[in-house]
Amino acid sequence: MCFSPEPVSVLFKLYCLTVMTLVAAAYTVALRYTRTVSSDLYFSTTAVCLTEVIKLFLSIGMLARETGNFSRLRNTIVDQVIRSPKELLKLSVPSVVYAIQNNMAFIGLSNLDAAVYQVTYQLKIPCTAMCTVLMLNRSLSRLQWFSVFMLCVGVTLVQWTPAEASKVQVEQNPFIGFMAIAVAVLCSGFAGVYFEKVLKSSDTSLWVRNLQMYLSGIAITLVGVFMNDGPQIMEKGFFFGYTPWVVFVVFLSSVGGLYTSIVVKYTDNIMKGFSAAAAIVLSTVASVTLFGLQITATFAGGTLLVCVSIYLYGLPKQDTSKVTKVDSNCESKQKLITV
């Protein structure tokens, strides 16, 4: 298959990475707050489902802007979404995996200290790198692999805080939390790389791909809502425990999901992981005030390692020999067809 990535400016990539980093930092702090401070704990499954619904409508809005008018929007949705069951099925794979990941993240945050959660969750970075190598046939240089593991060490140091420094008001089960994060790590690596492969293997609009994924995501998360919390929701209501902070968390998750798909489209999943690491540094700084965490020498050292690892990963030039050969073959075939 002949494929060339869409050209975008470095400034645009930096903008997307910056916004995603800021949103992820705010999301982590706000989510932790809602799961540990609120007296009437809301159902995490409903929050995940609402996030998918909001992302669907936001994607429709972006597709409407891209197509230019309602007629083209309707035709695009009918032709590429409604009448393309195979594509819907293809995008249902990451939908299922992302739904599992999101719910596992909620369970992990509810059963682990914030520091332990962040440290354990960073295993998704080497997991994503491994999936990238195996599923996309890419190769990382030794320096890039070194930077990936340096990033993990840096994030670990950033989050290395005493257990008593965190103000937790709910009962937790560390074993359940750890197992939930382990599943989330595997899901994150696989689903992210799978979605990147689908996005970059065709010229289909990013927003069409999002629609295909979010439609199946809504169906899957609705099933999860009623399987996990059905009786309680029937008794207390779908929006039980919702506060302005919970609404804010859902909004951040929705916006962050859209920017994540943009970053995956125009960079890669490993860069997404580095952006998430930078967000952890920011969220930890914010947690100093909100959760009583204390900045130590290990935090300063970890922050330095995170910054250096991001710099080192961007130094090596990617090996584009395979892509160049494919593109040159495509050009030669096009010239023959033209002749």
Side-chain angles (χ1 to χ4, degrees):
M1 178 179 294
C2 299
F3 167 71
S4 298
E6 298 178 34
V8 293
S9 66
V10 175
L11 185 62
F12 177 76
K13 293 181 180 180
L14 289 175
Y15 159 75
C16 292
L17 285 168
T18 301
V19 172
M20 191 180 79
T21 300
L22 295 176
V23 170
Y27 172 76
T28 299
V29 175
L31 177 58
R32 179 65 182 171
Y33 178 81
T34 62
R35 299 303 289 179
T36 58
V37 177
S38 177
S39 57
D40 294 328
L41 199 60
Y42 62 98
F43 302 111
S44 62
T45 53
T46 63
V48 173
C49 183
L50 282 177
T51 298
E52 295 297 307
V53 173
I54 294 174
K55 287 191 291 187
L56 176 70
F57 282 104
L58 289 176
S59 295
I60 291 175
M62 296 302 297
L63 184 60
R65 180 181 178 184
E66 184 178 85
T67 53
N69 58 62
F70 178 77
S71 178
R72 291 180 181 175
L73 172 64
R74 181 189 59 193
N75 293 336
T76 300
I77 293 177
V78 171
D79 294 338
Q80 300 189 36
V81 179
I82 299 177
R83 295 180 179 175
S84 300
K86 290 184 179 180
E87 296 301 315
L88 283 173
L89 184 61
K90 182 189 299 184
L91 269 298
S92 67
V93 174
S95 295
V96 173
V97 180
Y98 275 133
I100 296 173
Q101 176 195 339
N102 290 333
N103 282 285
M104 291 300 103
F106 270 105
I107 295 174
L109 274 171
S110 300
N111 288 279
L112 293 175
D113 179 75
V116 178
Y117 164 80
Q118 294 285 18
V119 170
T120 309
Y121 202 34
Q122 295 325 299
L123 291 174
K124 67 182 181 180
I125 300 173
C127 181
T128 299
M130 185 64 67
C131 289
T132 298
V133 172
L134 296 177
M135 297 172 63
L136 299 181
N137 296 322
R138 290 180 184 169
S139 60
L140 298 181
S141 67
R142 292 181 179 178
L143 187 59
Q144 286 178 314
W145 277 113
F146 176 73
S147 65
V148 165
F149 286 99
M150 178 187 289
L151 184 70
C152 292
V153 174
V155 174
T156 299
L157 292 178
V158 164
Q159 293 295 324
W160 195 266
T161 54
E164 64 271 16
S166 181
K167 301 175 183 177
V168 179
Q169 301 177 6
V170 295
E171 185 179 353
Q172 297 179 327
N173 187 321
F175 178 76
I176 293 178
F178 177 77
M179 294 303 297
I181 294 304
V183 174
V185 163
L186 295 175
C187 290
S188 176
F190 172 78
V193 176
Y194 180 94
F195 186 52
E196 179 182 351
K197 185 174 183 178
V198 172
L199 281 180
K200 295 182 176 180
S201 61
S202 70
D203 295 328
T204 304
S205 168
L206 168 64
W207 307 114
V208 170
R209 289 301 191 190
N210 279 343
L211 286 180
Q212 294 168 341
M213 184 168 66
Y214 297 150
L215 278 173
S216 54
I218 291 172
I220 292 165
T221 53
L222 275 175
V223 172
V225 165
F226 291 103
M227 284 185 63
N228 296 329
D229 302 310
Q232 291 179 306
I233 290 175
M234 294 297 292
E235 177 185 353
K236 300 180 179 180
F238 191 89
F239 296 101
F240 173 79
Y242 273 63
T243 65
W245 276 107
V246 177
V247 174
F248 183 56
V249 166
V250 173
F251 171 76
L252 288 177
S253 180
S254 303
V255 174
L258 291 186
Y259 272 96
T260 297
S261 63
I262 296 174
V263 168
V264 170
K265 173 74 173 179
Y266 296 112
T267 59
D268 58 46
N269 273 279
I270 301 178
M271 281 306 300
K272 182 186 74 174
F274 277 77
S275 174
I280 288 170
V281 175
L282 295 177
S283 63
T284 303
V285 172
S287 295
V288 171
T289 302
L290 296 176
F291 303 119
L293 297 178
Q294 298 177 352
I295 292 182
T296 62
T298 56
F299 173 83
T303 301
L304 180 62
L305 286 179
V306 169
C307 295
V308 172
S309 64
I310 292 174
Y311 172 75
L312 291 179
Y313 184 81
L315 279 181
K317 294 183 178 179
Q318 294 183 354
D319 183 10
T320 57
S321 58
K322 294 182 180 179
V323 178
T324 304
K325 291 179 180 179
V326 173
D327 289 344
S328 61
N329 291 334
C330 293
E331 291 178 359
S332 61
K333 290 179 181 179
Q334 291 174 353
K335 289 180 180 179
L336 289 174
I337 294 174
T338 303
V339 173

